[in-house]
Amino acid sequence: MTDGKVYYHCVPPVKAIPCLTPFGMKLETYLRMAGIQYEAVYGRRTGPKGKIPWIKYNGKAMGDSGLIIEFLNKEKGVDLNKNLSDTDRAVSRAFTKMIEENTYWGIVHYRWVDNFAQLGELFELPWYGGMLLRIFRRRVKNSLWAHGIGRHSKEEIEAIMVKDLKAVASFLGTKPYLMGDEPTEVDAAVFGQLSEIVWTAPGSYLHRIVTQDCPNLHAYCIRIKDRYWSDWDQLTGNAQKDQ
């Protein structure tokens, strides 16, 4: 293990996307944006906070994508937000929290409730994986209920997601990135969530919102993918065109 190198632990890539957790997509996109050397370590072992992704750095395990980014900013002298005003930083944090603490749960609900029958294929699990998914689904549904979004009807959840995604689209407008001409930390967070919609949820109402109702969000995802994920097809082994 090399000192000063980030060992990034996450679930392995699948045909649809390099990482099936939006926080994994967020963290790895940040590492690429920041130019931080890292090595991906694939597996399903959780980190010190009981979640994936996590990192090991100089022998120390760390969890939570947001805290990891804060740590690496200080450790590596990185600041993707260096050109942002205090007001811009506040807006960035607000969008990050909205998409990670609210929109994320709508994506989870779609994946684990609305689209559960297709999860085995998406996750590329063996035949017996369905039993494991059903066990985990109960935990997910409990989390959705505890968060609050799981108490809503399908129609209410869809209305919430429309408002969230259209808020991002309206603020993005014609800018290449959320805060302007160059990407900042919030772009890693937003791309982390939107990438799961664009590449793992074709045919869904979420995919329709991002690709048809808000085409600037789709273009935004393609822009970040093309700039920072030149090895996407190599990782996924999937050469199909973007959805």
Side-chain angles (χ1 to χ4, degrees), residues 124-234:
E124 298 178 10
L125 295 177
W127 65 268
Y128 55 82
M131 180 174 62
L132 298 177
L133 288 178
R134 285 191 292 272
I135 293 172
F136 193 73
R137 186 192 192 203
R138 289 197 290 270
R139 294 172 54 188
V140 172
K141 292 181 78 172
N142 287 338
S143 296
L144 288 165
W145 185 266
H147 172 269
I149 202 166
R151 301 167 191 253
H152 298 315
S153 68
K154 181 179 179 179
E155 292 73 23
E156 289 169 336
I157 293 172
E158 289 187 9
I160 290 169
M161 295 297 284
V162 166
K163 291 175 183 176
D164 280 8
L165 293 170
K166 286 192 173 181
V168 178
S170 294
F171 187 77
L172 175 63
T174 60
K175 302 190 299 294
Y177 301 100
L178 212 61
M179 303 309 298
D181 291 336
E182 289 299 323
T184 59
E185 284 179 24
V186 68
D187 292 298
V190 171
F191 177 74
Q193 304 295 328
L194 296 186
S195 62
E196 301 293 334
I197 294 174
V198 172
W199 285 287
T200 77
S204 68
Y205 79 94
L206 292 170
H207 193 268
R208 186 202 72 238
I209 296 169
V210 172
T211 61
Q212 298 179 30
D213 300 347
C214 303
N216 64 331
L217 293 184
H218 188 225
Y220 168 81
C221 288
I222 299 299
R223 185 176 303 117
I224 292 177
K225 173 180 176 286
D226 287 348
R227 181 168 177 176
Y228 294 105
W229 289 88
S230 61
D231 56 345
W232 184 289
D233 289 343
Q234 179 183 349

Side-chain angles (χ1 to χ4, degrees), residues 55-95:
I55 68 166
K56 184 166 283 188
Y57 183 80
N58 289 346
K60 180 181 179 181
M62 301 179 61
D64 187 275
S65 61
L67 295 179
I68 290 169
I69 288 173
E70 288 183 16
F71 168 78
L72 291 176
N73 284 344
K74 295 176 182 177
E75 181 71 17
K76 300 295 187 179
V78 172
D79 186 2
L80 298 179
N81 297 338
K82 62 184 178 182
N83 294 323
L84 299 185
S85 66
D86 289 344
T87 300
D88 287 341
R89 289 172 186 262
V91 170
S92 295
R93 181 168 177 81
F95 270 107

